[in-house]
Amino acid sequence: MALCSTPCALVVGDGIAGQGAALVLARAGWQVWLALPRPGKPAAHRRHAHITSAAVIARLERSLGKAPGGWAMGRALVWDEAGRREAGARPIIGAEALRLSLAAQAAAAGVQGLTDCTIVPLAHGAGWRWRARGKAGHADVVVDATGSGHWLSRMVGAAVMIEELAGTDRAWSWTGINDGPDRPWLLAARERTQAAVLLREPDGQVRLTLRAPQAAPPDPLAALDRLLIGAGAEWTTWIGSLALDPRPLRHEAPLARRTLVGPDPALPPLLRLGDGLTQTAPRLGQGIAQIAEQLEALAGALAAALPPGQWQARLDALAERRWTGLMLGTGLMLGAGLMLGAGLVRIAA
Ligand SMILES: Cc1cc2nc3c(=O)[nH]c(=O)nc-3n(C[C@H](O)[C@H](O)[C@H](O)COP(=O)(O)OP(=O)(O)OC[C@H]3O[C@@H](n4cnc5c(N)ncnc54)[C@H](O)[C@@H]3O)c2cc1C
């Protein structure tokens, strides 16, 4: 095993956070390896429609140096109890398309993939030793981008604590094809217990996400019809025909979860980001925003030539702010629910 001549990093996890971090590090002159997962089931959330804001796209572009790709501005329509509203244009992301675009840019920047990687911390915080199929090496910092399983932090023996906010989100997602006019669009509809987001990517791929409490998948077209009842038949005229894969993917997640790692001076630099740091329910739509914020912070730490041992503190400060916001938000929702409940009791009395 040779120590690297340039600073070197091992990123574990090939999601948007992992590919983004690998790209930021490689562009800053680091030698980067990316440990790939064992081939298996594709991550369910990559089939979901992702919505974000123009500010998040701008942030991604700032830290990644050029357009990240995998997204388009879509015409957004919203249906709810108030009927149909035009919500202007919103950035719509195919999560898998964004991930693949980052992966292609990371590979072009020199990031090398590793399979069957094992990682061991070296004594006295002197970096990490890794071994993969036919290769071995040293890393100054390891990046845990393994998502909500935060697999790596547990594997290397870090003191992991998980905190969850009460509440669960259950969603179903379908992929499909739309033969309507060749333009991206986004359609959102909601009522009290169900919500739907239907996204058409520029190439005609369709992703439908239904948030629904029931354990069995709802009939997607019937659910859309019911949610869009105020729109009558107009929505099908507007959309064109829709062919959906009959096998939906199910996703169930806590409202929010964060992973804390206790300080351990014996552990070499370990950076944690993405869902492995804070995971939020899809309806909160914070995932990509969080990653964009973290990549910007990482790029800032690299530009300021901070040692890797100080990077996590920057990301933790951002995660703490998000968590406080989430707690305040859910506290307000609970408070409003209690007040409403009390009001109803008074009226009934
Ligand atoms: C239904 C749904 C809808 C969503 N909608 C939105 C939205 O509208 N807007 C938004 O901003 N966000 C949304 N999100 C959140 C967003 O998808 C996530 O926040 C984001 O994709 C997380 O990326 P990540 O790279 O941190 O994790 P992941 O994408 O989970 O990537 C982690 C990767 O690490 C790999 N891995 C795990 N263990 C190992 C190991 N031992 N070795 C190597 N690799 C490993 C996994 O296979 C995976 O590929 C949604 C999420 C869901 C579930």
Side-chain angles (χ1 to χ4, degrees):
M1 179 193 67
L3 292 182
C4 359
S5 46
T6 50
C8 44
L10 174 67
V11 178
V12 188
D14 64 343
I16 295 169
Q19 297 286 4
L23 183 53
V24 166
L25 283 158
R27 291 232 175 106
W30 282 57
Q31 183 170 352
V32 185
W33 291 276
L34 192 130
L36 298 162
R38 292 217 169 85
K41 276 200 295 183
H45 55 274
R46 296 196 186 138
R47 291 180 66 173
H48 285 263
H50 279 47
I51 310 162
T52 190
S53 69
V56 168
I57 298 290
R59 215 164 191 174
L60 278 174
E61 288 186 353
R62 270 202 304 275
S63 40
L64 300 177
K66 64 177 184 175
W71 68 276
M73 288 303 277
R75 183 180 164 192
L77 290 177
V78 176
W79 266 273
D80 57 17
E81 291 86 351
R84 175 181 147 171
R85 281 176 289 126
E86 286 273 348
R90 292 283 305 270
I92 52 181
I93 292 183
E96 183 63 354
L98 172 60
R99 191 185 77 84
L100 291 174
S101 154
L102 294 178
Q105 293 182 57
V111 174
Q112 294 174 47
L114 298 173
T115 38
D116 292 334
C117 193
T118 51
I119 305 151
V120 182
L122 296 172
H124 314 298
W128 302 84
R129 181 163 49 87
W130 57 261
R131 197 174 291 283
R133 226 180 270 170
K135 291 182 185 160
H138 170 268
D140 299 300
V141 59
V142 160
V143 180
D144 182 353
T146 56
S148 54
H150 40 262
W151 165 85
L152 182 74
S153 301
R154 283 184 296 176
M155 200 279 289
V156 297
V160 171
M161 193 185 94
I162 295 163
E163 202 176 344
E164 282 187 0
L165 288 183
T168 320
D169 243 21
R170 182 179 286 147
W172 298 91
S173 67
W174 290 259
T175 48
I177 292 290
N178 168 250
D179 71 351
D182 208 10
R183 56 181 181 186
W185 46 255
L186 169 72
L187 186 150
R190 59 181 169 257
E191 43 115 90
R192 210 169 50 80
T193 57
Q194 288 205 349
V197 177
L198 182 59
L199 167 103
R200 185 199 198 272
E201 291 176 24
D203 63 359
Q205 289 240 35
V206 173
R207 294 172 198 279
L208 168 66
T209 301
L210 276 182
R211 182 160 63 82
Q214 59 263 46
D219 174 339
L221 294 179
L224 269 177
D225 236 352
R226 203 171 55 75
L227 284 166
L228 298 175
I229 200 139
E234 194 201 336
W235 74 274
T236 41
T237 320
W238 192 75
I239 284 169
S241 85
L242 205 58
L244 297 177
D245 180 335
R247 290 153 303 155
L249 282 179
R250 173 185 165 167
H251 184 87
E252 199 167 309
L255 187 62
R257 170 198 287 152
R258 69 167 166 173
T259 311
L260 302 157
V261 166
D264 181 353
L267 208 62
L270 172 66
L271 187 73
R272 297 172 301 112
L273 74 173
D275 273 11
L277 197 55
T278 312
Q279 186 198 8
T280 51
R283 84 179 114 123
L284 301 176
Q286 295 200 28
I288 311 284
Q290 167 182 249
I291 294 171
E293 181 179 84
Q294 293 167 342
L295 294 181
E296 191 177 73
L298 175 60
L302 287 160
L306 287 187
Q310 291 179 24
W311 298 350
Q312 186 68 47
R314 292 197 165 197
L315 268 55
D316 284 347
L318 296 170
E320 187 62 40
R321 217 186 47 191
R322 248 170 216 282
W323 192 254
T324 309
L326 282 164
M327 283 203 301
L328 281 174
T330 46
L332 285 177
M333 278 189 315
L334 269 176
L338 285 175
M339 278 161 63
L340 191 66
L344 287 177
V345 172
R346 274 174 61 185
I347 291 165

